[in-house]
Amino acid sequence: MIAFPETWLPGYPAWLDVARDVALWDHVPVKEAFARMMENSVSVPGPALDALRDAAHAARATLVIGLIERVSAGRGQGTLYNTILTINAEGQVLNHHRKLVPTYTERLVWGPGDADGLRVVDTPLGRIGSLVCWEHWMPLARQALHEQAEDIHVATWPTVKDMHQIASRHYAFEGRCYVLAAGSLMRAGALPEGLDLLPELQANPDTLVMRGGSAIIGPDGAYVVEPVYDQPAILVAELDLRRNLQERMTLDVTGHYHRPEYLNLDIRYSGRQTNDTDPK
């Protein structure tokens, strides 16, 4: 399987945090950056999705990719979503998850998602789930996936800094599953033109505003592959899923370390779930 970071396609809007005046009403440079982001976002369905499906099929790989989703027509056609797609080796879309709550400044550019993609899917590699960024601090979102018996979890982040490493390792330990924590690299010079960047970034466009930090974590919370910062890297590991079973002896938050007679989780699906049964 191959995992990519949060909104890797077409790229995370890091300018929300490193440019001045992004929250000003009717600020033309920011509106232009948003329009450019919308133009380059992915419609589901659409030609960019078709290319991703073809790529997964050609690579014979399960693909889990973070992207910015554009609704191309009908209700919501002016709204963008922070989305993860899971595509199997036959080119079928297995899951379509929209981030439940955009985080802080992200609310300027993305709409709130829903629970329809809060699912774990079967693949020949095992059962795969995913969450976006600060969803890893939403206890009920975590529990929703834990109860679906994840083997491998993809944690998409813009960059996997220290607290994000802690959240990813905690998820692996709590869920007794492997976690692929995926983060991006981005330099200040790659940010949209016309924005007033912070002075230190204007002086050095090679400064990394997102430093990567991707890592692979085992079901005991320990690193299988240590985080890699400040350089491009493809992290590779073979995962022994029997380790998930071993670790559940001491902790199972869906079973012997859970009290469902006192604590209960209710997930309300809206029916938006993407069903793509057309193999490539």
Side-chain angles (χ1 to χ4, degrees):
M1 66 175 295
I2 305 170
F4 288 85
E6 177 177 357
T7 63
W8 183 83
L9 184 68
Y12 185 81
W15 47 270
L16 289 168
D17 298 316
V18 298
R20 292 169 49 90
D21 302 330
V22 293
L24 287 181
W25 181 262
D26 211 24
H27 189 48
V28 173
V30 173
K31 291 199 296 184
E32 177 56 32
F34 179 83
R36 181 180 176 188
M37 183 167 62
M38 179 170 280
E39 288 173 337
N40 287 278
S41 295
V42 177
S43 295
V44 180
L49 174 58
D50 290 341
L52 292 173
R53 296 172 67 225
D54 289 341
H57 183 251
R60 303 304 300 165
T62 296
L63 176 66
V64 183
I65 184 167
L67 51 85
I68 301 175
E69 178 192 354
R70 176 183 180 181
V71 178
S72 57
R75 287 190 301 172
Q77 56 81 29
T79 296
L80 300 178
Y81 295 96
N82 185 334
T83 292
I84 302 177
L85 294 181
T86 302
I87 305 170
N88 70 9
E90 284 71 46
Q92 297 169 314
V93 177
L94 300 183
N95 197 39
H96 175 189
H97 174 56
R98 291 173 175 170
K99 187 177 182 182
L100 290 162
V101 182
T103 302
Y104 194 44
T105 51
E106 292 176 357
R107 297 175 199 179
L108 292 169
V109 295
W110 291 325
D114 51 52
D116 284 30
L118 208 58
R119 302 174 189 266
V120 175
V121 296
D122 281 311
T123 77
L125 308 174
R127 291 179 57 76
I128 297 173
S130 57
L131 290 174
V132 186
C133 199
W134 278 37
E135 288 184 320
H136 291 88
W137 284 299
M138 298 178 74
L140 299 184
R142 298 198 311 267
Q143 186 67 14
L145 297 190
H146 295 335
E147 291 188 0
Q148 296 176 58
E150 270 181 303
D151 294 310
I152 303 169
H153 176 81
V154 178
T156 69
W157 303 92
T159 185
V160 198
K161 57 187 179 182
D162 183 57
M163 281 303 299
H164 300 168
Q165 296 287 344
I166 291 171
S168 300
R169 294 181 67 184
H170 174 267
Y171 191 99
F173 186 91
E174 180 180 76
R176 293 333 216 189
C177 62
Y178 286 93
V179 169
L180 313 183
S184 291
L185 290 172
M186 185 182 291
R187 299 188 185 279
L191 295 170
E193 297 179 358
L195 297 178
D196 186 11
L197 300 183
L198 299 177
E200 59 268 28
L201 298 181
Q202 294 181 30
N204 188 358
D206 287 333
T207 300
L208 286 169
V209 295
M210 296 196 299
R211 298 184 50 220
S214 297
I216 301 175
I217 304 159
D220 58 352
Y223 287 114
V224 175
V225 180
E226 295 276 342
V228 177
Y229 289 100
D230 301 337
Q231 58 181 310
I234 298 174
L235 278 57
V236 179
E238 293 186 9
L239 308 182
D240 178 6
L241 300 187
R242 291 192 74 253
R243 288 192 58 203
N244 296 357
L245 305 181
Q246 294 170 358
E247 296 303 328
R248 285 172 186 160
M249 180 177 181
T250 50
L251 177 66
D252 175 15
V253 297
T254 73
H256 63 74
Y257 230 85
H258 179 36
R259 296 301 301 274
E261 69 272 34
Y262 301 125
L263 304 168
N264 186 52
L265 172 62
D266 176 32
I267 306 171
R268 301 174 187 176
Y269 298 112
S270 67
R272 178 201 50 81
Q273 175 69 12
T274 299
N275 293 313
D276 185 347
T277 58
D278 177 27
K280 302 303 289 182

